Amino acid sequence: MTTTVNESTRNGVDTAALFATLNAVKAAPEAARFQFRAHNQWLSGTHNRSTIAEFYGVGEERAHERSFTFDADHPAVLVGRDNGPTPVEFVLHALAACLTAGLANIAAARNIRLTQVRSTITGDIDLNGILGLDPDVRNGYERISVRFTVKGDAPAAKLRELVEQSRARSAVYDVITNRVPVDIEVDTD
Amino acid sequence: MTTTVNESTRNGVDTAALFATLNAVKAAPEAARFQFRAHNQWLSGTHNRSTIAEFYGVGEERAHERSFTFDADHPAVLVGRDNGPTPVEFVLHALAACLTAGLANIAAARNIRLTQVRSTITGDIDLNGILGLDPDVRNGYERISVRFTVKGDAPAAKLRELVEQSRARSAVYDVITNRVPVDIEVDTD
């Protein structure tokens, strides 16, 4: 089978641009300083909405091509109205998305053509923690499990190495498995 | 000013149901074991999509009232096509949503009526980490900052205590500021 895909594009990744970006950051490391942001507004009960629009990077303020909004809520069984997933479910999406994006980039850089990447990610949580009913139970997930199915034109060992390298370079995996300091300020005026 | 709101509903929170749930879990702690899930599918390049639909809790398999789907991507400056926020931006949304939902519940339980809750959450990240260009730079956020504006019918000190208690009982805050073990399995068949 012959394909007519542009040789610099693999898996939908513009590898020429990817390597050009790497070289640009090598030459000017401060270009890699980014700040991401979300703006959240409470609506009612456990229902609230975030807007994600602008960010800072490569030395200047930037904007996504459009503004994204996401609702979060609790399901009825947790005394919400199910207007959106729970906040902890968005954490699972973030992790799956980060590992998958990295995997596609790494596969492209290694000249491996992917045909399918799927994952199911689960998080086990004991709500006795957040309900304040058991001081020995943490508030967050006890554990998170990711199960990938990866198919492409490389041996199984090479496909597994893609996942391993993506894990080793994943921002969200690092956030979840290592700690990030969070400071909170409150304005009541 | 008199309002005709049902006395058991404050801030859109059904406090009677909230306390009934607390009492039910006190009587049967195993009801609080939940498993949340996301299913992710790679689309092209850094663009992928998660579906959040079913979960386990209170002793049985459950489903959200509808299935939610979310796209993630990288912006053009990070060699993506900007079909959605980056994975790390979803982490910020998750944290803001969790702190805000908790705040509304706690305010309702304390009989404080909220009139406004907004937050801006920022995450600083040096992409020299994920780009593999500097071994001393971590992959994830260096720090996250949350700036809340909270208004309601209570003194400023009481409003600040709501945020503090929400932080103390937030699942996502715990995930980010303490570590969660993540295991990854790969199927290539």
Side-chain angles (χ1 to χ4, degrees), chain B residues 74-148:
Chain B
H74 288 185
V77 69
L78 295 173
V79 200
R81 290 193 176 81
D82 217 5
N83 288 296
T86 61
V88 286
E89 287 168 296
F90 279 105
V91 171
L92 302 181
H93 163 52
L95 179 57
C98 195
L99 291 169
T100 300
L103 196 157
N105 275 341
I106 294 159
R110 294 183 180 182
N111 204 7
I112 294 172
R113 200 171 302 275
L114 298 168
T115 53
Q116 188 186 87
V117 182
R118 290 176 176 272
S119 58
T120 292
I121 178 162
T122 60
D124 293 316
I125 189 166
D126 182 345
L127 300 183
N128 281 293
I130 64 171
L131 294 173
L133 296 175
D134 186 341
D136 295 330
V137 174
R138 69 180 296 177
N139 295 320
Y141 285 124
E142 298 163 89
R143 75 191 69 82
I144 293 173
S145 298
V146 188
R147 177 72 179 260
F148 266 107

Side-chain angles (χ1 to χ4, degrees), chain A residues 11-14 21-22 25-26 29 32-42 44-46 48 50 52 55 58 64-65 68 70 72 75 77-79 81-82 84-85 87-94 96-98 100-101 104-105 114 117-133 138-151 156 160 163 167-171 173-189, chain B residues 11-14 21-22 25-26 29 32-42 44-46 48 50 52 55 58 62 64-65 68 70 72 75 77-79 81-82 84-85 87-94 96-98 100 104-105 114 117-133 138-151 156 160 163 167-171 173-189:
Chain A
N11 305 322
V13 176
D14 184 339
T21 299
L22 272 166
V25 176
K26 260 184 216 170
R33 294 213 153 267
F34 275 63
Q35 181 180 76
F36 292 107
R37 302 168 192 148
H39 302 278
N40 186 277
Q41 180 173 9
W42 172 63
S44 179
T46 48
N48 59 79
S50 290
I52 294 172
F55 60 97
V58 198
H64 284 290
E65 287 184 23
F68 301 105
F70 302 100
V77 70
L78 295 174
V79 201
R81 291 194 175 80
D82 217 5
V88 286
E89 287 169 295
F90 279 105
V91 171
L92 302 182
H93 164 53
C98 195
T100 300
N105 274 341
L114 297 169
V117 182
R118 289 176 175 272
S119 58
T120 292
I121 177 161
T122 61
D124 294 314
I125 189 167
D126 181 344
L127 299 183
N128 282 292
I130 64 170
L131 293 173
L133 296 175
R138 71 180 294 176
N139 294 321
Y141 285 124
E142 299 164 88
R143 76 191 70 81
I144 293 173
S145 297
V146 188
R147 178 72 180 260
F148 266 106
T149 300
V150 181
K151 299 183 183 182
R160 289 173 188 280
V163 177
R167 186 201 60 73
R169 283 284 165 242
S170 166
Y173 181 88
D174 178 35
V175 165
I176 292 174
T177 59
N178 299 304
R179 57 193 85 222
V180 178
V182 176
D183 70 87
I184 302 177
E185 282 182 52
V186 185
D187 180 354
T188 59
D189 293 333
Chain B
N11 304 323
V13 176
D14 184 339
T21 300
L22 272 167
V25 175
K26 262 184 216 172
R33 295 213 152 268
F34 275 64
Q35 181 180 76
F36 291 107
R37 301 165 193 151
H39 302 277
N40 185 277
Q41 180 173 11
W42 172 63
S44 179
T46 49
N48 59 79
S50 290
I52 294 172
F55 59 98
V58 199
R62 295 173 181 275
H64 283 291
E65 287 184 22
F68 302 104
F70 303 101
V77 69
L78 295 173
V79 200
R81 290 193 176 81
D82 217 5
V88 286
E89 287 168 296
F90 279 105
V91 171
L92 302 181
H93 163 52
C98 195
T100 300
N105 275 341
L114 298 168
V117 182
R118 290 176 176 272
S119 58
T120 292
I121 178 162
T122 60
D124 293 316
I125 189 166
D126 182 345
L127 300 183
N128 281 293
I130 64 171
L131 294 173
L133 296 175
R138 69 180 296 177
N139 295 320
Y141 285 124
E142 298 163 89
R143 75 191 69 82
I144 293 173
S145 298
V146 188
R147 177 72 179 260
F148 266 107
T149 298
V150 181
K151 298 183 183 181
R160 288 173 189 280
V163 177
R167 186 201 61 72
R169 284 283 165 243
S170 166
Y173 181 89
D174 178 36
V175 166
I176 292 173
T177 61
N178 297 306
R179 56 193 84 224
V180 179
V182 175
D183 71 84
I184 301 177
E185 285 182 49
V186 185
D187 180 355
T188 59
D189 294 332

